[in-house]
Amino acid sequence: MFYDVDLHSRLMLGTAQYPSPAVLAAAIEASGAEVITVSLRREGAAGQAFRDLLRQSGRRILPNTAGCHTAREAVTTAQMARELFGTRWIKLEVIGHADTLQPDPFALLEAARILCAEGFEVFPYTTEDLILGERLIEAGCRVLMPWGAPIGSGQGLRHEEALRSYRAHFAGVPVVIDAGIGAPSQAARAMEMGFDAVLLNTAVARATDPVAMARAFGTAIAAGRMAFEAGLMPRRDMAVASTPALGLADLGPADLGEALA
């Protein structure tokens, strides 16, 4: 549940880089995703037809502030998105490093405080830093979105132990893995670790068959969550026999000879 909205699908799907609007529409349908993200800059470039396609999908739209590098720029973009799409939801991105696309923690927190005060329901793209996560919650965010790896890198969960600690630390907060997921197995792994959802774009949009890949991700995420809820077996350092020793026949040397005769 995100900001009191109950969703069935745990996949959030981006809408950029698809080879055609028809492929995008088919991928959204195949994925089963109920939330789709859209950059205001992308929407502006594509025009009314793109906006109509998104609305016709019947999915909840999560606008984002992709490409913003200052808190002021992100706040202005969010305000424009609210007017354009009629939603208080906003995925907040404030990029601080041009190469890694790592968020600027200071500008991110500043923008989050302003937007939460204005009634926005903020989904902040952040790192796995626990202190920053605490400050974002104090600012009014009720969802956290740490990266798995740099945007578009396909590296998966690059700092898995840190993300595991993050999930445990914010046990009562919805946490979404955002960015860096390149394969359905990586998305399933995130779900097995107890994260609430996965947001991705490039791995589907740039696949040879985006529609089939969208379906694969939807299936993997559902399977990963099912495994988490069923209770995964703990990892062990030594082998443990699956067949118990209790009840097995105790064959001595004589008995063994007779059995082989």
Side-chain angles (χ1 to χ4, degrees), residues 194-215:
F195 288 96
D196 296 282
V198 173
L199 193 158
L200 56 93
N201 186 165
T202 306
V204 170
R206 291 302 192 185
T208 303
D209 185 340
V211 178
M213 186 62 76
R215 186 176 294 110

Side-chain angles (χ1 to χ4, degrees), residues 2-3 12 62-65 74-75 78-79 82 87-94 107-126 133 135-137 139-145 173-176 178:
F2 303 101
Y3 290 104
M12 298 180 175
L62 175 60
N64 69 49
T65 62
V75 168
Q79 292 167 339
R82 179 168 57 181
T87 179
R88 292 186 296 169
W89 278 22
I90 191 73
K91 179 189 170 188
L92 180 59
E93 295 183 29
V94 188
L108 175 68
L109 183 56
E110 179 185 352
R113 284 173 173 156
I114 294 170
L115 292 174
C116 288
E118 292 186 4
F120 281 89
E121 295 175 333
V122 178
F123 293 70
Y125 164 62
T126 180
R135 297 295 181 268
L136 288 167
I137 290 174
C141 298
R142 291 164 54 193
V143 176
L144 295 171
M145 301 182 73
V173 178
V175 181
V176 179
D178 178 16

Side-chain angles (χ1 to χ4, degrees), residues 235-252:
R235 183 173 178 174
R236 296 163 174 160
D237 294 329
M238 298 180 64
V240 178
S242 58
T243 302
L246 184 64
L248 293 179
D250 184 10
L251 298 178

